[in-house]
Amino acid sequence: MSLKQQLTDDMKAAMKGGDKHSLGVIRLINAAIKQKEVDERIELDDAAVIAVLDKMVKQRKDSVTQYEAASREDLAKVERDEIVVIERYVPAKMGEAEILAAISTAIAQTGASGAADMGKLMGALKPLLAGQADMGLVSKLVKQALAG
């Protein structure tokens, strides 16, 4: 079952079950997916849907940080609750050991040896790890691997 179909099924279940919070968040997710499809005139596959979900989680984490800085714990809680629902549909992230293994494999394949090869290495890693790993962490680990 595709991720979009799962979202639709969960939305129907939330409607029938009276879960207004989940229903609202799932509708937000579907709206973001539909907006991306309309903007780019394409049908999103699961990888692209995961990218939309990752972006939504990142936006909400940024909002939580800003709300906490402004002492608005009530609004921060709403955002954290939305993150919980969105993360139901995001696959589990890879651990650091798995990322390091992928980096060493990519280094062997690309022949990267120094900091100048970081772009080439990230270009090889991004399609493999997108949606499965925090790309900020991947970038940090790639810098360490190329430096040492």
Side-chain angles (χ1 to χ4, degrees):
M1 175 187 313
S2 75
L3 201 47
K4 285 178 16 177
Q5 184 61 45
Q6 182 183 354
L7 283 161
T8 302
D9 292 348
D10 289 354
M11 184 172 68
K12 290 175 187 174
M15 276 188 230
K16 289 178 184 173
D19 185 357
K20 293 184 184 217
H21 174 68
S22 294
L23 177 61
V25 176
I26 293 170
R27 283 181 170 159
L28 285 172
I29 294 169
N30 283 335
I33 292 168
K34 184 56 98 179
Q35 183 66 47
K36 183 127 177 121
E37 288 179 337
V38 168
D39 288 349
E40 297 183 12
R41 293 184 176 92
I42 57 169
E43 181 81 18
L44 296 183
D45 60 355
D46 280 354
V49 170
I50 291 170
V52 170
L53 294 172
D54 283 338
K55 182 178 178 185
M56 291 178 75
V57 169
K58 183 177 184 306
Q59 288 171 337
R60 276 151 185 80
K61 285 181 179 178
D62 291 344
S63 295
V64 167
T65 304
Q66 291 175 1
Y67 288 144
E68 287 174 344
S71 299
R72 291 297 308 265
E73 190 56 39
D74 55 328
L75 295 174
K77 183 186 180 323
V78 170
E79 296 292 324
R80 281 194 291 270
D81 291 344
E82 287 184 5
I83 289 171
V84 169
V85 175
I86 295 168
E87 285 183 337
R88 284 188 221 159
Y89 304 101
V90 179
K93 298 290 184 194
M94 294 172 73
E96 194 168 321
E98 295 170 294
I99 295 171
L100 288 171
I103 290 172
S104 57
T105 302
I107 288 174
Q109 289 174 347
T110 61
S113 58
D117 295 328
M118 183 166 174
K120 178 169 56 170
L121 192 56
M122 286 300 290
L125 287 169
K126 189 167 184 174
L128 298 174
L129 303 180
Q132 298 177 19
D134 175 12
M135 294 311 286
L137 176 61
V138 172
S139 177
K140 183 179 113 182
L141 293 173
V142 165
K143 284 179 189 171
Q144 290 173 355
L146 292 177

